Structures are given as structure tokens and as C-alpha cells.
């Protein structure tokens, strides 16, 4: 902190959730579906183990790292030198726990703090707690009701995020007991979608936090195959729930967080009339819209209960809201069959993380379409319903694949240098995807008989606003003829400077 300029560590592009070794000479982080470590002397990063969808880690004084490698499992432990991780905690099914995340070691390494999560932050009846775990016995001590990453201050405080502010309570790390009243520490502290509070405390009690939230506003525009703007849908909006274009190309459904709104709602943009308005008003966030055949209804996921309950509402706003699909942990839709009887759903399960399932609406039965220990996401059903395009990171880099839905076990890799967000042209003869560099690629498809495709070719490059790394929402959509595209491009990114606070404990809890 004595230097004004940050120092970039080589070969850490895409790295997230860094944490220090106990001696301060190394940094562990997550990237490319792996837990990695790097020293500060310029050595290349070393992979420690797999971590497909991480939610934090902590490096103990005994050379062990505790981490959440998949966000629907308990904590795992692995040697910092590398190797196979072992389970450390188990989700309590009686409490409907769905994740253990954001571990923090207490002094001495005999105990750690973590979040036992039962719901997404802000969900109704959220019973998530911050707990202490004994590393020797596995005993858990419940400390306080909260759903955010915990922080431990050596001056004897437990810090956590609640209702927009960083708050604290007195905490004895020896007896594992909290005391006194919860008190405010800093207002308007940022919290990300995975309940990570943007704050940290050093060994001497110095607090650093990021005020507010990071807002990435989009311009919703229409571009041609060369990327030239030919129309504007909305100049500056906060797209936090994906988008989907109606089959006739005349209306756009978008997950928008409007000014003053408590959460994300589905908005409908009439591209011909130039009008727009909210379609949903439910408690919780409404995201990932999908149009029905005939464009009469919109399906969407609401996260008020869990990862998503699917609802259907008439696209003109009339009629009653109808629940379409639900599971114990939740799901979201990537596409609906032509007859409306089944859908391609994204589901998160413990051992296999993100999976793609067929969900039969009448029976509620789920059948795996793509299931692996890695993140299999962004399912795109071909117009003839014979093929499923999707992205997976099983090679350590996200790539686009196509597999048959007719019982054939064949799988074809479409992208060659990384890619995601596949989408089909209405006739199924062209498939699109986006590279990590923001290039929209096109592939010619011949699917009569055996599946065949051309090499990818770039149509244009854009600064797509594709949200977070594991966001399930689409950020572009081809028009039916593939000659134009609706795109969400980055309009502006707003954030704040880091704030450093000393002596914040003066008067704390009094």
C-alpha cells in the first residue's frame, strides 16, 4: 500500500477470489476451472486442483487450503503443494443447506469461519448462517444469521454484510462466542451476486472496502453482420437477467434492473413500435426469459425461493401467473420445445456442478442431457430439436460443443480457441458463438444425416456486456434470417475507489 500503482502478476488473466499464504509470499486464486497459486517473484502459476465453480478459499498455517470448489457442495481441503482434495464439510439436508462457502481461518488454524447457505441473499425466509468449524473434530458452531462472506478482525470482531452495510459483532475466537449487539462498520459496501462482501481486514485490524456496487450498464442495439449499428433499442440499461428475441424477431424480452427497483424484472421491448415496459413485478429477481412457440408467453426464472422457479406469463401482461417448473434446488430455462411440453433446463447439483437437463413440464421429470464434473451451460436447442449446442470448460477452457438428442453419443467441438454463448439461426443452418475476445463467430451447419460444420469465421467484434463469468443470461440474439443481431454492449462501468479505514473499532458496539 506504500506504492500508488498496482503490479500485475503474469499469467493470471481471468483470476478471481485471491487469498494469501500465511507467510505472505504466495497468492492462491481461481482461474480456468482450477485452484492455482503463484509467488511474487515472477514464477508461473501452478495448478493445485480442480475448482469448477469456486466460492472462496483460505490458506492455513499447516500448508492446507480449504476452499469451496463447486458452489453446491460442502468445503474441501487440499495440500497447497497440490493433489486430490478431500471433503471437509457436508451440507445439512435437514436445514436445506445448498452451499458452504467463503472460508476464513481463525488464529492458529484450529478453526475457521464459513457461510452455511440455505438461499440466495435477499431470498424470502433465508436461514443462512455464519458458523465456526473445528478442523480436528468437524464440530460446527453457529454464530450469527447472515448470508455474506465473513471477516475476522484480530481485535476481536466478526464482520459481515447485511442490508447494504458492513456490520460487526464482538467475537471471541477462543470460545467461539459472539456477544453484544450488531453495530454498523461501513455503509454502502459492495456485495457481489455470490455473497462476497467487497471488504478485507489485515492482521493489524486495518479495514479496506469497496463502496457501493459495480454497475455495468448496457446499450441494447441492433447490428448487421459486420457489427455496424443499424438501430437502438435502449441507450443505457442495467441488464442483469439476460435477453431473448421472439421467434418472429419483433419483440425482445430482457431482464432489467430499473432505477429504483429492488431487483431484476422482465421487460418487453416492441422493436416495431419502439415501446417498452415491465412484464413482471414478483418478489425476488426475474431473469432468463424464454419465448414460447407462437410468442404468446414468456417463461422466466424467479429466485425468490431458490436458484429459480420457472413461471409463465402472457406476453401482453394479461391473465394470471402460472408456475411451470420447480426443483428442490431450482432451475432456469435455456429453451422450450416447439410443442411446449419440455424444456432445456440448467440445474446445479453437488458433485457435477452446472448441468443441462431435459425437464418434462407435465410430469416434472428431469433427464440428463449433458452432465459432467465440469460446468456444462448455455444450452441452445436447434430449431429441429435434434441437436443441442452448449459450452463446457472440461478442458480447462470454455469451448462450444454440439451433441445429438436422438440417442447418438457423438459430440462435436465447434470452437477452436475458446468460446461460449451458442445460438442458432432460425433455419438451423448457421450456428453462432462468442469468443473470450468478444468476437461473434459463425459456423455453417449441415445436419441432414451426420452432423457436419464449417470452420468458425468471425463476423464482427464487440464489447459485449456478458455479465459475470457464470451468468446464465444471453447477451445477444440473431434475427430469424441471421442478417442482423440484437446485442447488449457495454455502455459504461461505474465503480468506486477503495476505502482504507484505521481505528474503526473506536466506539464499536457501544
Amino acid at each position: 500500500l506504500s506504492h500508488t500503482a498496482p503490479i500485475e502478476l503474469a499469467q493470471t488473466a481471468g483470476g478471481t477470489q485471491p487469498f494469501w499464504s500465511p507467510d505472505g509470499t504466495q497468492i492462491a486464486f481461481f482461474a480456468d476451472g482450477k485452484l492455482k497459486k503463484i509467488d511474487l517473484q515472477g514464477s508461473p502459476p501452478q495448478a493445485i486442483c480442480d475448482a469448477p465453480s469456486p466460492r472462496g478459499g483460505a490458506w492455513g498455517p499447516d500448508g492446507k487450503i480449504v476452499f469451496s470448489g463447486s458452489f453446491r457442495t460442502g468445503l474441501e481441503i487440499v495440500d497447497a503443494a497440490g493433489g486430490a482434495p478431500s471433503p471437509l464439510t457436508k451440507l445439512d439436508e435437514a436445514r436445506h443447506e445448498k452451499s458452504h462457502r467463503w472460508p476464513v481461518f481463525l488464529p492458529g488454524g484450529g478453526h475457521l469461519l464459513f457461510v452455511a447457505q440455505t438461499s440466495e441473499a435477499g431470498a424470502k425466509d433465508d436461514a443462512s448462517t455464519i458458523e465456526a468449524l473445528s478442523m480436528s473434530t468437524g464440530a460446527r458452531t453457529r454464530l450469527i444469521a447472515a448470508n455474506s462472506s465473513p471477516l475476522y478482525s484480530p481485535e476481536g470482531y466478526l464482520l459481515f454484510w447485511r442490508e447494504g452495510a458492513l456490520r460487526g459483532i464482538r467475537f471471541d475466537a477462543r470460545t467461539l462466542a459472539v456477544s453484544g449487539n450488531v453495530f454498523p462498520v461501513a455503509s454502502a459496501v459492495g456485495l457481489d451476486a455470490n455473497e462476497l462482501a467487497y471488504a478485507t481486514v489485515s492482521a493489524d485490524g486495518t479495514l479496506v472496502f469497496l463502496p457501493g456496487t459495480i454497475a455495468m450498464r448496457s446499450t441494447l442495439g441492433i447490428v448487421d453482420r459486420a457489427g455496424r449499428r443499424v438501430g437502438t433499442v435502449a441507450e443505457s440499461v442495467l441488464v442483469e437477467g439476460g435477453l431473448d428475441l421472439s421467434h418472429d424477431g419483433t419483440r425482445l424480452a430482457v431482464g432489467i434492473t430499473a432505477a429504483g427497483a429492488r431487483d431484476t424484472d422482465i421487460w418487453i421491448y416492441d422493436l416495431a413500435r419502439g415501446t417498452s415496459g415491465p412484464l413482471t413485478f414478483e418478489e425476488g429477481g426475474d431473469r432468463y426469459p424464454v419465448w414460447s412457440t407462437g410468442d404468446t408467453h414468456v417463461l422466466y426464472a424467479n429466485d425468490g425461493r431458490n436458484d429459480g422457479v420457472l413461471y409463465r406469463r402472457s406476453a401482453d401482461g394479461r391473465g394470471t401467473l402460472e408456475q411451470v417448473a420447480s426443483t428442490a434446488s431450482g432451475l432456469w430455462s435455456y429453451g422450450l420445445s416447439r410443442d411446449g411440453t419440455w424444456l432445456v433446463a440448467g440445474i446445479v447439483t453437488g458433485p457435477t456442478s452446472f448441468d443441462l437437463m431435459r425437464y418434462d413440464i407435465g410430469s416434472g421429470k428431469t433427464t440428463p442431457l449433458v452432465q459432467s464434473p465440469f460446468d456444462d451451460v448455455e444450452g441452445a436447442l436447434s430449431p429441429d430439436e435434434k441437436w443441442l449446442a452448449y459450452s463446457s470448460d472440461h478442458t480447462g477452457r470454455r469451448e462450444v460443443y454440439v451433441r445429438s438428442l436422438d440417442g447418438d453419443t457423438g459430440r462435436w467441438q465447434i470452437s477452436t480457441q475458446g468460446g461460449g454463448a451458442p445460438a442458432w439461426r432460425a433455419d438451423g443452418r448457421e450456428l453462432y458463438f462468442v469468443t473470450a475476445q468478444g468476437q461473434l463467430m459463425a459456423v455453417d451447419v449441415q445436419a441432414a444425416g451426420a452432423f457436419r460444420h464449417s470452420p468458425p469465421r468471425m463476423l464482427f467484434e464487440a464489447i459485449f456486456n456478458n455479465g459475470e463469468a457464470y451468468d446464465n443470461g444471453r447477451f445477444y440474439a440473431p434475427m430469424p434470417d441471421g442478417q442482423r443481431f440484437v446485442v447488449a454492449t457495454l455502455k459504461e462501468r461505474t465503480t468506486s475507489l477503495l476505502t482504507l479505514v484505521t481505528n474503526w473499532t473506536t466506539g464499536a458496539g457501544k
Side-chain angles (χ1 to χ4, degrees):
L1 295 178
S2 61
H3 298 276
T4 58
I7 300 174
E8 181 179 355
L9 299 180
Q11 301 181 48
T12 59
T16 63
Q17 305 167 32
F19 53 97
W20 291 93
S21 64
D23 61 6
T25 63
Q26 300 181 81
I27 297 173
F29 63 98
F30 300 96
D32 305 320
K34 305 284 186 180
L35 170 62
K36 300 182 178 184
K37 65 178 181 179
I38 189 171
D39 61 34
L40 305 182
Q41 309 306 316
S43 300
Q46 301 177 39
I48 298 174
C49 64
D50 290 336
S53 51
R55 295 296 184 269
W59 198 323
D62 61 351
K64 302 290 187 180
I65 291 178
V66 174
F67 69 104
S68 174
S70 180
F71 76 102
R72 284 296 177 265
T73 62
L75 299 174
E76 300 177 82
I77 187 168
V78 67
D79 195 294
S86 301
L88 182 63
T89 64
K90 184 178 179 181
L91 301 181
D92 187 344
E93 295 182 359
R95 291 191 67 235
H96 303 290
E97 291 179 354
K98 62 188 214 174
S99 175
H100 292 168
R101 56 181 62 186
W102 308 123
V104 175
F105 273 104
L106 293 175
H111 293 84
L112 59 77
L113 303 174
F114 72 99
V115 182
Q117 189 184 62
T118 63
S119 304
E120 300 297 324
K124 186 178 181 180
D125 301 325
D126 182 8
S128 302
T129 53
I130 292 176
E131 302 189 10
L133 175 75
S134 169
M135 295 295 293
S136 59
T137 68
R140 293 167 52 175
T141 303
R142 196 167 300 164
L143 301 176
I144 195 167
N147 194 350
S148 85
S149 55
L151 298 173
Y152 172 72
S153 171
E155 296 173 291
Y157 296 96
L158 169 63
L159 305 183
F160 56 93
W161 187 99
R162 182 189 286 170
E163 297 177 345
L166 190 66
R167 304 179 189 275
I169 191 170
R170 293 187 180 275
F171 173 60
D172 189 325
R174 294 172 300 173
T175 63
L176 305 180
V178 295
S179 61
N181 297 320
V182 174
F183 60 91
V185 175
S187 61
V189 173
L191 183 82
D192 77 1
N194 301 315
E195 293 78 37
L196 172 64
Y198 293 139
T200 186
V201 178
S202 69
D204 65 1
T206 300
L207 171 68
V208 176
F209 68 90
L210 182 67
T213 58
I214 298 174
M216 299 174 63
R217 301 188 68 83
S218 297
T219 294
L220 292 174
I222 301 174
V223 300
D224 63 16
R225 288 176 71 91
R228 294 183 292 260
R229 177 83 66 84
V230 297
T232 299
V233 180
E235 189 60 45
S236 181
V237 288
L238 193 57
V239 179
E240 295 188 313
L243 59 82
D244 194 38
L245 186 66
S246 61
H247 296 84
D248 62 8
T250 64
R251 287 173 293 174
L252 184 70
V254 191
I256 298 285
T257 303
R262 296 185 60 184
D263 215 322
T264 304
D265 295 303
I266 305 300
W267 283 57
I268 302 296
Y269 289 83
D270 190 312
L271 304 184
R273 298 179 180 178
T275 59
S276 63
L279 178 68
T280 67
F281 306 90
E282 282 71 57
E283 181 179 351
D286 301 320
R287 295 177 173 86
Y288 318 133
V290 170
W291 289 88
S292 67
T293 302
D295 301 327
T296 58
H297 291 77
V298 175
L299 281 73
Y300 58 92
N302 177 276
D303 64 5
R305 188 189 310 170
N306 50 32
D307 277 348
V309 175
L310 291 186
Y311 292 95
R312 176 166 50 202
R313 184 182 288 276
S314 174
D316 61 12
R318 295 183 294 183
T320 58
L321 182 66
E322 179 185 1
Q323 180 175 316
V324 174
S326 67
T327 63
S329 61
L331 74 167
W332 55 95
S333 177
Y334 286 117
L336 184 67
S337 66
R338 287 172 295 181
D339 62 8
T341 61
W342 62 277
L343 51 86
V344 176
I347 295 179
V348 178
T349 56
T352 56
S353 191
F354 289 90
D355 297 318
L356 295 170
M357 300 282 184
R358 170 177 170 143
Y359 184 96
D360 287 285
I361 295 174
S363 65
K365 178 183 177 182
T366 58
T367 305
L369 296 175
V370 186
Q371 189 173 42
S372 76
F374 305 97
D375 289 339
D376 305 308
V377 295
E378 300 178 320
L381 185 64
S382 66
D384 61 7
E385 301 179 1
K386 292 182 178 180
W387 313 98
L388 180 70
Y390 65 99
S391 68
S392 177
D393 62 357
H394 79 277
T395 64
R397 179 176 63 187
R398 182 154 296 177
E399 301 281 4
V400 173
Y401 301 88
V402 167
R403 69 182 311 158
S404 171
L405 295 180
D406 289 341
D408 188 344
T409 58
R411 183 182 70 174
W412 297 265
Q413 182 173 329
I414 304 301
S415 58
T416 57
Q417 299 295 322
W424 298 87
R425 196 170 70 191
D427 62 3
R429 301 296 300 274
E430 196 168 46
L431 179 65
Y432 313 100
F433 67 90
V434 177
T435 69
Q437 294 75 37
Q439 299 166 327
L440 182 71
M441 311 294 287
V443 171
D444 294 326
V445 173
Q446 297 181 19
F451 183 87
R452 297 187 299 276
H453 65 91
S454 70
R457 63 187 184 281
M458 188 182 79
L459 296 185
F460 61 86
E461 189 171 356
I463 306 176
F464 291 101
N465 193 355
N466 57 348
E468 299 183 11
Y470 293 96
D471 191 358
N472 300 304
R474 296 183 177 94
F475 50 89
Y476 79 98
M479 288 289 183
D481 61 1
Q483 296 304 302
R484 296 177 299 157
F485 300 82
V486 176
V487 296
T489 54
L490 186 64
K491 171 70 174 180
E492 57 183 328
R493 178 186 176 98
T494 60
T495 185
S496 304
L497 297 176
L498 291 170
T499 299
L500 186 146
V501 184
T502 59
N503 301 320
W504 58 269
T505 59
T506 303
K510 296 182 179 178

